[in-house]
Amino acid sequence: MILGCHVSMKAPDYLEGSIREALSYGANACMIYTGPPSNSKRVDVEKLKIEQAKALMKENDFQMDRVIVHAPYIINIANTIKEDTFEFGVTFLKEELKRVSTIGASILVLHPGSHVNAGKEKGLDSIIKGLNSVLDSDDSNVVIALETMAGKGSECGSSFEELQYILSHIHKRDRVGICLDTCHIHDAGYDVSNIDSILDELDNQIGLESLKVLHINDSKNKIGAHKDRHENIGKGYIGFDALHTIVHHPRLSSIVKILETPYIEGKAPYKEEILKLKEID
């Protein structure tokens, strides 16, 4: 099972510290941000202790393709209202792909964006325009995994149909995939307890080979709430059994699975949640 969690990447140990933190939870995968998720401040990649991290990974059979990078929330290439926001998103996404490639990771998770009340059609077409602009000038092998969204506000990408529309218009189709978030699809109206039905629909709409990452989260909300509020494993409306089934599902065995559940009393719950999810009935 490839199961990990979101970990921090901060001074002074940066990526080496991220891997050490993941290992302390019993994880064999992790997800990082290359800097603060809410702003564009970034440390030079030369300072991220990449080689030290790789040495630690080699000692612990922790493969680089299990390090997932998440793009910052400030990128919104669905925005057609403010041209500066779109242009910033394209420019920063290009730079982020270079950072991911330098680190040695191969997947960058990206929120598709919000149309800011301009309408879904304009938002989706803007995402396509932005992704093509980014990828047409990038020759790395990093795949952008568009995250399934809960559908709150003017978010794009809360249905497989919307994601399929985006992917079908990408010039470099093999460079864009999907990150499926269990909390988000639950909040968007999908019944996570019927994972086979969801995987069949995803396969028919997009192709299961496009699924690159899974975010394993419970939800504080009832199905279809469109709110996006993560809950700890087994404490929410999705429930432990459904999430346990997903992480053990044979059709998903090769997919990296990442926990993004809330801290409990200031402490990361990942060690306990990973241990519990790994249990075999």
Side-chain angles (χ1 to χ4, degrees), residues 257-277:
K257 303 162 187 75
I258 299 292
L259 299 173
E260 302 174 298
T261 50
Y263 275 35
I264 300 173
E265 297 180 352
K267 181 184 175 184
Y270 302 133
K271 184 174 183 178
E272 295 78 12
E273 290 183 337
I274 288 172
L275 192 62
K276 188 68 174 174
L277 283 169

Side-chain angles (χ1 to χ4, degrees), residues 144-192:
I144 296 174
L146 298 176
E147 187 167 345
T148 55
M149 303 308 293
K152 71 177 188 292
S154 58
E155 282 180 343
C156 297
S158 61
S159 72
F160 295 158
E161 289 83 3
E162 290 178 17
L163 293 168
Q164 190 278 333
Y165 177 79
I166 296 171
L167 267 62
S168 67
H169 290 84
I170 299 299
H171 300 160
K172 295 182 178 180
R173 176 62 182 82
D174 62 329
R175 294 285 308 281
V176 182
I178 299 297
C179 168
L180 190 150
D181 186 303
T182 56
C183 171
H184 294 178
I185 62 171
H186 166 89
D187 280 27
Y190 291 87
D191 182 5
V192 177

Side-chain angles (χ1 to χ4, degrees), residues 25-217:
Y25 301 138
N28 60 1
C30 68
M31 186 175 75
I32 60 171
Y33 291 83
T34 65
S38 56
N39 66 51
S40 59
K41 190 176 181 180
R42 293 293 180 271
V43 173
D44 191 301
V45 289
E46 300 300 324
K47 299 180 180 179
L48 296 183
K49 296 196 174 181
I50 297 170
E51 293 308 314
Q52 293 93 323
K54 287 181 178 178
L56 180 61
M57 293 166 72
K58 187 175 181 180
E59 291 173 13
N60 292 275
D61 193 26
F62 195 118
Q63 299 168 30
M64 182 56 81
D65 61 5
R66 298 178 180 184
V67 176
I68 307 298
V69 181
H70 200 303
Y73 307 133
I74 52 172
I75 295 176
N76 185 11
I77 56 174
N79 192 330
T80 60
I81 304 299
K82 293 184 178 180
E83 186 176 346
D84 286 350
T85 299
F86 173 82
E87 293 297 338
F88 166 80
V90 168
T91 300
F92 197 81
L93 189 53
K94 288 179 180 179
E95 295 170 355
E96 196 74 349
L97 280 176
K98 291 177 182 177
R99 281 190 283 269
V100 175
S101 181
T102 301
I103 288 170
S106 57
I107 296 174
L108 175 66
V109 174
L110 174 70
H111 289 185
S114 298
H115 59 75
V116 204
N117 297 321
K120 279 282 178 73
E121 185 176 349
K122 285 186 177 180
L124 294 172
D125 286 340
S126 184
I127 293 167
I128 292 164
K129 176 184 174 183
L131 288 175
N132 280 329
S133 176
V134 169
L135 293 174
D136 286 351
S137 62
D138 182 86
D139 59 0
S140 73
N141 64 349
V142 178
V143 171
I144 296 174
L146 298 176
E147 187 167 345
T148 55
M149 303 308 293
K152 71 177 188 292
S154 58
E155 282 180 343
C156 297
S158 61
S159 72
F160 295 158
E161 289 83 3
E162 290 178 17
L163 293 168
Q164 190 278 333
Y165 177 79
I166 296 171
L167 267 62
S168 67
H169 290 84
I170 299 299
H171 300 160
K172 295 182 178 180
R173 176 62 182 82
D174 62 329
R175 294 285 308 281
V176 182
I178 299 297
C179 168
L180 190 150
D181 186 303
T182 56
C183 171
H184 294 178
I185 62 171
H186 166 89
D187 280 27
Y190 291 87
D191 182 5
V192 177
S193 68
N194 193 351
I195 186 61
D196 279 302
S197 177
I198 289 174
L199 294 179
D200 288 343
E201 183 176 348
L202 178 61
D203 196 23
N204 290 332
Q205 289 278 350
I206 298 172
L208 202 55
E209 68 280 358
S210 291
L211 180 58
K212 305 299 181 181
V213 188
L214 284 161
H215 285 172
I216 307 298
N217 301 300

